[in-house]
Amino acid sequence: MGSEVEQHIPNQTTNTNINKSNENKNTNTNTNGNISVAKTLSIVQPHSLLPKPTPPIATSNPKPPNDAAPSTFKTFFRQRSNNLSSAISRTISSIKTSIDDINDKNNSSFNDVTEFKLSGLKVVVETKNDLSLGKVQITLFSKSNCRDCSAVRRFFKERGMKFVEINVDVYTKRENELYQRTGNTNVPKIFFNGELIGGLVELNAMRKNEGGELEKKLNEVADEKFSGDVPVAPEYGFDEVAEEVVEEEVEIVKVVRALRQRLPIQDRLVKMKIVRNCFAGTELVEFLIRHHGYVHAEAVEIGSLLCQKYFINSVFGEIDFEEGNHFYRFLEHEGFIPKCFNFRGTTNDSEPKNAATVCDRLTKIMYAILESYASEDRRRVDYVAISKSEEFRRYVNMTQDLQRVDLLELSENEKLAFFLNMYNAMVIHAMIRVGCQEGAINRRSFSDFQYLIGGHSYSLAIITNGILRSNRRSPYSLVKPFGTRDRRLEVAVVKMNPLIHFGLCNGTKSSPKVRFFSPCRVAEELRCAAREFLENDGIEVDLEKRTLHLSPIFKWYSADFGHERNVVKWIMNYLDANKTGLLTHLLDDGGPVHISYKNYDWSINS
């Protein structure tokens, strides 16, 4: 008992000394009884860029005791993972804050890539170099098929500079605004907000300036007070209609609308055939005399005028209007109308425009579409983007002007350019509206895509074989496109030019690239198209095997190019000097020359 007390007392004394030392935190007693003041230890704070320690996260719903060890390890690794993720996040945010502070103090910009290394952690921060400042709207006034406009557009896209393009060929009324702002209609014209910068020459001068004049100008315009005189982006959903209707056209339209409502249009049995939705010429003449007060001769003349303007068509192909038991039907009642993709329920009753003018307008819109939604080499086309564009909507609306144009007034070169351009434009429209399956057989329905042009239907196949190939049979077909009484035969080109095959793009990767032609230069442009196609992938020369590998286009249309040896001589006119020399060597040494045809890639050129 006593020993236990003696043992307990020293422990009690020790505890008392400990408590006292806690009460006097900075005081220590020496063995000599002197009191000394202890030095205060300063805590070293961690570096500001290093992660700060975080308390462990308490786990809820602990597992039973038998799983205590695995749970402890899982919790440990989960906490370490969470701590590491939060540490990295805080580190990056602190780095970003320090960068912002340095930028504010020094008023200077970092290089394109700034690199930091922290104890095994490498962080790379990339700064975006975007010259199109948020306070600056870059506006480009342009026209279709303009080299300088294409160069400006390419520069902006390569530098990642957002801009608003106003193509005055698509938005025709904006040309007046361009004249008011600049005093002329020359393009390209570049505006930073409301300030005119100039054209391609001025842009190149600013770009090449070593002092960064382009960047300075953008910053200067961004700092200026906003004036509000900025060119407005194109208004979508509105087409410009600036055509005035003369009195004669109004009278004809009134007559046509009255005839549609009151003539007895019905199915009839004619020559042992059922003719649908037709009326007799006598019925039209009698109606005009009775209800419009025309004399007989005037009524017959009105009937002829309706045929010439493609309001009505003869059922059996008569050229001139005749009364009696000659039957006619309105254009909208023709059997092919439901298949025409430029017909929207009613016929365009306005006075037909000149066919060349309509083609030129459509071609300019298509140029604008390709410049915005196709690759630089025109071998890839973004059909999805085109389908959503305002340019394509305007193009589709304008195709209704084709319904009653007079194709017979076109010259031979105008006709050639017209149908080359219509084919390439219709292919783009067909890709969007009906799509296309890969393979020659699956493309038959695609080739039947039709437009109503000049009172008649024209499909892609009809344009190729009936018009551009002068009514020749298509490959592997025994029947010509047009019969002897087909009115469209009058529109076919007089002399077939085999170069047309290099100007037609059918939407596949192996076809020539998509392009459009001008009537005054169509022959030269076709020769350029042939050279480009043959130099790229149209022909390959294997000198060792004495073999020429040609595009299957030469095989399918051998009737246009001639026999194989003649084809080789014909091709030499459109090759570069190197390939021409190889072919000349093969043909002149007297040995055999073999011709092989490549596989055709039917996949879509998108």
Side-chain angles (χ1 to χ4, degrees):
M1 183 70 180
S3 60
E4 292 180 1
V5 173
E6 290 177 357
Q7 292 177 1
H8 180 71
I9 291 175
N11 292 337
Q12 188 175 8
T13 305
T14 303
N15 292 337
T16 303
N17 292 334
I18 292 174
N19 292 336
K20 288 182 179 180
S21 65
N22 289 336
E23 292 176 358
N24 303 317
K25 293 182 180 179
N26 297 326
T27 304
N28 290 330
T29 304
N30 297 333
T31 54
N32 299 328
N34 297 327
I35 299 175
S36 63
V37 180
K39 296 182 180 180
T40 303
L41 297 177
S42 61
I43 300 176
V44 180
Q45 297 295 334
H47 193 276
S48 62
L49 299 184
L50 291 176
K52 296 180 181 180
T54 58
I57 302 174
T59 58
S60 59
N61 300 327
K63 292 186 177 181
N66 56 351
D67 292 338
S71 175
T72 302
F73 282 111
K74 289 181 180 179
T75 302
F76 173 76
F77 286 115
R78 188 183 300 112
Q79 291 175 358
R80 290 296 299 270
S81 176
N82 293 337
N83 294 344
L84 180 61
S85 299
S86 59
I88 293 175
S89 176
R90 287 193 305 275
T91 302
I92 294 177
S93 62
S94 62
I95 292 173
K96 184 178 179 182
T97 302
S98 63
I99 293 174
D100 294 339
D101 294 340
I102 295 174
N103 283 335
D104 293 338
K105 292 180 180 179
N106 298 336
N107 229 352
S108 61
S109 60
F110 280 82
N111 296 328
D112 290 342
V113 178
T114 304
E115 183 176 302
F116 295 90
K117 293 182 179 180
L118 294 174
S119 61
L121 178 65
K122 182 178 180 181
V123 180
V124 178
V125 180
E126 296 183 2
T127 59
K128 186 178 180 181
N129 185 16
D130 189 1
L131 294 180
S132 58
L133 304 180
K135 296 181 180 179
V136 180
Q137 174 183 303
I138 302 176
T139 306
L140 168 64
F141 281 88
S142 66
K143 289 185 178 180
S144 299
N145 199 27
C146 171
R147 291 185 178 180
D148 288 354
C149 297
S150 299
V152 174
R153 187 185 303 107
R154 188 183 310 113
F155 171 78
F156 286 153
K157 289 183 177 179
E158 289 176 354
R159 297 292 295 271
M161 302 171 67
K162 296 181 180 179
F163 64 98
V164 174
E165 182 171 0
I166 303 175
N167 189 316
V168 296
D169 286 330
V170 179
Y171 311 101
T172 54
K173 287 188 176 181
R174 303 302 294 272
E175 191 169 13
N176 295 331
E177 177 188 346
L178 177 61
Y179 181 82
Q180 294 174 0
R181 288 179 177 273
T182 64
N184 57 65
T185 58
N186 298 330
V187 292
K189 284 292 189 300
I190 305 168
F191 287 82
F192 290 171
N193 284 347
E195 182 177 347
L196 174 64
I197 301 302
L200 178 62
V201 175
E202 291 77 9
L203 180 64
N204 283 335
M206 297 175 66
R207 178 176 61 88
K208 295 178 181 179
N209 188 286
E210 296 180 356
E213 185 177 350
L214 179 60
E215 290 83 351
K216 290 181 180 178
K217 189 63 179 178
L218 283 168
N219 291 324
E220 177 184 335
V221 174
D223 294 337
E224 291 177 355
K225 185 177 180 181
F226 184 73
S227 62
D229 188 25
V230 179
V232 180
E235 296 180 0
Y236 299 117
F238 298 94
D239 296 329
E240 293 88 356
V241 180
E243 298 293 333
E244 296 182 358
V245 182
V246 298
E247 294 297 329
E248 181 184 358
E249 298 169 2
V250 173
E251 184 63 27
I252 287 293
V253 172
K254 290 180 180 179
V255 170
V256 169
R257 290 175 179 173
L259 289 172
R260 286 171 178 159
Q261 294 177 359
R262 306 186 66 173
L263 273 182
I265 300 173
Q266 55 188 356
D267 299 344
R268 303 166 191 260
L269 182 63
V270 183
K271 298 179 181 181
M272 302 301 294
K273 294 181 180 179
I274 297 178
V275 181
R276 301 190 180 278
N277 299 324
C278 65
F279 57 89
T282 302
E283 295 170 343
L284 186 148
V285 173
E286 291 178 353
F287 176 84
L288 292 176
I289 295 173
R290 185 181 305 111
H291 296 282
H292 287 268
Y294 292 108
V295 298
H296 184 271
E298 291 177 339
V300 174
E301 185 179 352
I302 291 294
S304 298
L305 187 61
L306 294 179
C307 280
Q308 294 173 11
K309 291 183 175 294
Y310 301 108
F311 282 111
I312 61 176
N313 284 338
S314 172
V315 170
F316 296 105
E318 291 88 352
I319 297 177
D320 297 326
F321 176 81
E322 298 181 20
E323 59 178 324
N325 290 327
H326 297 274
F327 294 94
Y328 305 87
R329 62 166 63 96
F330 285 102
L331 182 59
E332 58 267 27
H333 293 157
E334 293 284 1
F336 56 76
I337 283 295
K339 297 181 180 180
C340 296
F341 282 84
N342 65 329
F343 184 85
R344 294 187 172 184
T346 58
T347 307
N348 185 356
D349 290 339
S350 60
E351 178 66 12
K353 302 174 184 177
N354 179 270
T357 302
V358 175
C359 181
D360 180 66
R361 182 88 169 89
L362 292 173
T363 300
K364 287 179 178 178
I365 295 180
M366 271 298 168
Y367 267 123
I369 288 175
L370 292 181
E371 289 166 350
S372 298
Y373 307 108
S375 60
E376 286 292 331
D377 58 4
R378 300 293 189 267
R379 292 190 175 277
R380 290 180 288 106
V381 181
D382 190 348
Y383 295 106
V384 175
I386 293 175
S387 66
K388 300 176 182 178
S389 68
E390 172 66 11
E391 294 90 339
F392 181 70
R393 190 195 68 80
R394 290 181 178 237
Y395 164 81
V396 173
N397 285 349
M398 196 166 295
T399 57
Q400 297 178 82
D401 292 339
L402 295 167
Q403 295 177 3
R404 294 173 40 245
V405 297
D406 187 1
L407 298 177
L408 296 177
E409 66 185 11
L410 296 173
S411 66
E412 197 68 11
N413 283 341
E414 288 176 338
K415 190 186 305 179
L416 181 60
F418 179 92
F419 281 103
L420 285 169
N421 294 342
M422 287 313 308
Y423 181 94
N424 291 332
M426 288 171 63
V427 166
I428 294 176
H429 194 176
M431 286 289 183
I432 294 172
R433 289 298 304 273
V434 301
C436 182
Q437 297 181 353
E438 298 179 5
I441 298 177
N442 296 331
R443 288 179 62 91
R444 289 181 180 178
S445 59
F446 177 83
S447 299
D448 196 40
F449 185 86
Q450 301 178 24
Y451 271 4
L452 173 61
I453 307 175
H456 300 280
S457 65
Y458 290 86
S459 66
L460 294 173
I462 288 294
I463 291 176
T464 303
N465 303 301
I467 303 299
L468 297 176
R469 297 184 65 228
S470 301
N471 198 30
R472 296 192 178 190
R473 290 186 290 267
S474 62
Y476 314 112
S477 175
L478 302 177
V479 182
K480 292 183 178 180
F482 300 144
T484 55
R485 301 185 64 182
D486 198 314
R487 298 281 299 275
R488 295 172 293 181
L489 192 59
E490 303 176 29
V491 184
V493 297
V494 176
K495 185 179 181 180
M496 197 280 301
N497 185 350
L499 292 175
I500 62 168
H501 297 292
F502 308 109
L504 299 175
C505 176
N506 61 14
T508 62
K509 290 184 178 179
S510 287
S511 74
K513 73 177 187 180
V514 58
R515 65 177 75 221
F516 294 92
F517 301 86
S518 58
C520 58
R521 300 179 59 242
V522 61
E524 178 185 349
E525 290 170 346
L526 280 175
R527 288 193 291 270
C528 292
R531 292 191 188 97
E532 183 175 345
F533 179 79
L534 292 172
E535 289 176 2
N536 289 335
D537 52 8
I539 181 174
E540 294 179 5
V541 182
D542 190 339
L543 198 58
E544 294 182 358
K545 297 182 179 180
R546 303 183 61 83
T547 301
L548 302 182
H549 301 279
L550 300 179
S551 167
I553 293 177
F554 293 98
K555 179 181 179 181
W556 297 334
Y557 298 101
S558 57
D560 301 344
F561 293 103
H563 297 292
E564 290 185 345
R565 195 167 186 86
N566 294 332
V567 169
V568 177
K569 294 181 179 179
W570 183 89
I571 289 176
M572 290 174 61
N573 297 320
Y574 304 97
L575 294 180
D576 56 22
N578 185 26
K579 289 184 178 180
T580 301
L582 293 177
L583 288 181
T584 303
H585 174 73
L586 290 178
L587 293 176
D588 293 345
D589 63 1
V593 177
H594 308 287
I595 294 181
S596 174
Y597 295 100
K598 302 179 181 180
N599 294 326
Y600 196 88
D601 189 352
W602 291 99
S603 56
I604 308 303
N605 63 338
S606 59

